[in-house]
Amino acid sequence: MKTSNYLVSLLLLISSLVVALAGSFHQEFDITWGYDRVKILENGQLLTLSLDRTSGSGFKSKRQYMFGKIDMKIKLVPGNSAGTATTYYLSSLGPTHDEIDFEFLGNVSGEPYILHTNVYTQGKGDKEQQFYLWFDPTKDFHTYSILWNPRSIIFSVDGTPIRQFKNLEATNGIPFPKNQPMWLYSSLWNAEGWATRGGLVKTDWSKSPFIASYRNFNAQTCVSSSFCSKNSTSNSWMNESLDNSGQARIKWVQKNYMIYNYCTDTKRFPQGFPRECSLN
């Protein structure tokens, strides 16, 4: 009987430390603002956010994650989405927070969205890379993925990696998000002050409400980095990194679709680029 109780307790502990999530939006997320502008449909399998002149809307995961491989299918605001920003990111709290960002910056009809990425470590960001997408992200759902493990952060779109931020802290002293658990957030809000051509194009409220849609949330996560590291064979994503094919795909994306890279912005860094620029 004691052995049986011990096994039950151990299984409960493991389930609390290693989490594989593919539940409904009702089960996995809380609405954080714009409550009447958030709809959860199809028995919890579809969520929509809306934005009008009065308010935007957003949601947040019920759990914190300490490393994870997270996928979400998103269909962005169609038509004239100028001035809108759809965000999808991981973040801890406080002045020294860590953060891993996808932000989708709207544009006038017929113009491409800008996919904005950033990484914050210990409260400091300034690591922006921006891309155009090779498809229309408003016509259908596409999968946007964050892989965050002790080795690196990899941003991917429909399985194609677009950016990698390596953990160079031990060898080069460059801070890396590794100690603070993060929540997953998403929101749709009015960012007309900067989102479209640096704020030159304002939101056309006659086109509102603006709507972004979400489905197929899937996450393999830990709430204890030490546990995941010790059990890495059952959590292969904890050791995942880019192979030669992945490196080649990143180079293809960055050659053809990158439109801004902080590591090449000489006006911003006249005294030299951040150290990670020559190493990542």
Side-chain angles (χ1 to χ4, degrees):
M1 180 65 90
K2 287 184 178 180
T3 301
S4 176
N5 289 339
Y6 171 78
L7 289 174
V8 170
S9 298
L10 181 60
L11 288 172
L12 288 172
L13 174 63
I14 291 173
S15 67
S16 69
L17 294 173
V18 180
V19 185
L21 303 171
S24 75
F25 284 100
H26 286 297
Q27 293 172 326
E28 301 300 338
F29 295 96
D30 290 321
I31 300 168
T32 51
W33 61 294
Y35 295 88
D36 57 343
R37 292 166 178 80
V38 182
K39 296 186 185 302
I40 301 178
L41 308 166
E42 298 179 5
N43 294 319
Q45 299 308 303
L46 172 68
L47 182 149
T48 63
L49 296 179
S50 68
L51 163 69
D52 57 32
R53 189 185 289 274
T54 302
S55 177
S57 50
F59 61 89
K60 170 187 173 184
S61 63
K62 293 179 183 290
R63 309 168 190 255
Q64 288 177 290
Y65 312 131
M66 188 66 239
F67 300 123
K69 187 174 186 179
I70 298 169
D71 303 324
M72 184 83 80
K73 285 187 177 291
I74 306 174
K75 183 165 64 173
L76 297 176
V77 175
N80 184 350
S81 58
T84 70
T86 306
T87 69
Y88 163 59
Y89 62 101
L90 291 167
S91 184
S92 57
L93 300 177
T96 58
H97 75 290
D98 295 334
E99 189 171 320
I100 303 169
D101 290 345
F102 274 113
E103 296 185 60
F104 305 91
L105 310 183
N107 219 322
V108 294
S109 298
E111 296 294 326
Y113 261 81
I114 291 175
L115 170 53
H116 176 99
T117 66
N118 202 356
V119 175
Y120 284 75
T121 54
Q122 300 174 19
K124 182 175 174 54
D126 302 327
K127 300 176 180 65
E128 301 93 342
Q129 291 183 354
Q130 294 183 340
F131 306 83
Y132 287 142
L133 294 167
W134 49 95
F135 52 84
D136 184 343
T138 73
K139 297 296 186 185
D140 204 350
F141 288 89
H142 293 270
T143 303
Y144 302 92
S145 306
I146 297 170
L147 172 63
W148 169 41
N149 65 25
R151 303 180 68 172
S152 66
I153 297 163
I154 300 173
F155 299 78
S156 299
V157 177
D158 287 339
T160 296
I162 64 170
R163 178 178 183 180
Q164 180 179 38
F165 186 83
K166 298 176 184 175
N167 184 354
L168 303 170
E169 190 162 349
T171 55
N172 293 277
I174 298 165
F176 183 84
K178 67 182 193 311
N179 297 317
Q180 300 186 70
M182 301 194 229
W183 283 274
L184 178 66
Y185 295 84
S186 190
S187 62
L188 174 58
W189 59 289
N190 178 26
E192 66 177 3
W194 70 279
T196 306
R197 295 182 59 203
L200 293 177
V201 183
K202 303 301 182 182
T203 306
D204 181 354
W205 293 111
S206 71
K207 302 295 193 294
S208 67
F210 303 100
I211 297 174
S213 304
Y214 300 76
R215 63 166 70 249
N216 291 78
F217 166 70
N218 185 68
Q220 302 171 65
T221 68
C222 283
V223 294
S224 165
S225 58
S226 61
F227 183 90
C228 276
S229 296
K230 291 175 183 176
N231 294 272
S232 58
T233 54
S234 59
N235 301 292
S236 58
W237 57 268
M238 277 290 284
N239 292 311
E240 190 174 332
S241 60
L242 292 178
D243 56 16
N244 290 338
S245 174
Q247 296 284 0
R249 284 186 290 167
I250 273 194
K251 289 179 180 178
W252 174 78
V253 171
Q254 297 192 351
K255 177 182 177 182
N256 292 285
Y257 297 100
M258 179 182 280
I259 58 172
Y260 177 81
N261 183 1
Y262 77 109
C263 286
T264 60
D265 192 339
T266 54
K267 291 182 179 179
R268 188 172 169 189
F269 300 106
Q271 305 303 317
F273 299 122
R275 285 179 297 159
E276 70 267 14
C277 289
S278 62
L279 300 168
N280 262 295

